């Protein structure tokens, strides 16, 4: 299954997208929540991979989340960052090492204020299908 290749391609795309970079700047995409990091930034969330094979061939389905964390301008900036992430990834063609991306779709975005920190977070969920 190609979850690691997918994650690498997603990070590469986001790290080079001008609209995302205009909000978070370079080097602000993390694979875990960094409590000392100053927002805004992106955090790679949960990824669930399952067999999506058919009689015609082998495939994997990946559902993954990306969290957009912000402080300045509250929820508005979190939603603007989420919109930039969605535009960079939804229905796009990514090159995966050792696998082929069949499709990549945005499924939903939920935004909220984290009560303990006062930060705002927009959680985006995507679905991707890959073939080896």
């Amino acid at each position: 299954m190609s979850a690691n290749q997918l994650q690498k391609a997603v990070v590469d795309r986001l790290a080079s997208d001008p609209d995302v970079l205009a909000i978070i700047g370079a080097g602000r995409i993390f694979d875990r929540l960094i409590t000392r990091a100053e927002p805004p930034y992106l955090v790679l969330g949960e990824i669930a991979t399952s067999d999506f094979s058919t009689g015609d061939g082998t495939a994997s389905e990946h559902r993954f989340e990306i969290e957009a964390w912000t402080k300045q301008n509250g929820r508005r900036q979190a939603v603007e960052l989420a919109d930039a992430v969605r535009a960079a990834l939804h229905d796009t063609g990514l090159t995966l090492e050792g696998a082929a991306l069949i499709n990549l779709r945005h499924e939903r975005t939920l935004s909220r204020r984290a009560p303990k920190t006062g930060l705002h977070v927009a959680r985006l969920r995507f679905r991707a299908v890959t073939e080896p």
Side-chain angles (χ1 to χ4, degrees), residues 7 28-46 65-70 112 114-123:
Q7 180 176 313
R28 312 285 298 154
I29 303 171
F30 306 110
D31 65 357
R32 60 183 164 52
L33 186 58
I34 309 291
T35 56
R36 293 188 181 122
E38 185 65 29
Y41 52 81
L42 297 174
V43 175
L44 303 176
E46 193 174 275
E65 294 182 348
I66 298 173
E67 297 175 346
W69 288 86
T70 64
R112 66 179 175 83
K116 290 184 180 180
T117 64
L119 300 177
H120 289 268
V121 60
R123 181 173 290 143

Side-chain angles (χ1 to χ4, degrees), residues 7-71:
Q7 180 176 313
K8 182 183 180 326
V10 165
V11 169
D12 289 348
R13 172 61 58 93
L14 294 174
S16 64
D17 184 82
D19 293 332
V20 172
L21 290 176
I23 298 171
I24 66 171
R28 312 285 298 154
I29 303 171
F30 306 110
D31 65 357
R32 60 183 164 52
L33 186 58
I34 309 291
T35 56
R36 293 188 181 122
E38 185 65 29
Y41 52 81
L42 297 174
V43 175
L44 303 176
E46 193 174 275
I47 184 166
T49 300
S50 57
D51 184 20
F52 199 66
S53 300
T54 65
D56 296 336
T58 303
S60 297
E61 178 185 56
H62 313 273
R63 292 188 190 271
F64 65 94
E65 294 182 348
I66 298 173
E67 297 175 346
W69 288 86
T70 64
K71 183 176 183 180

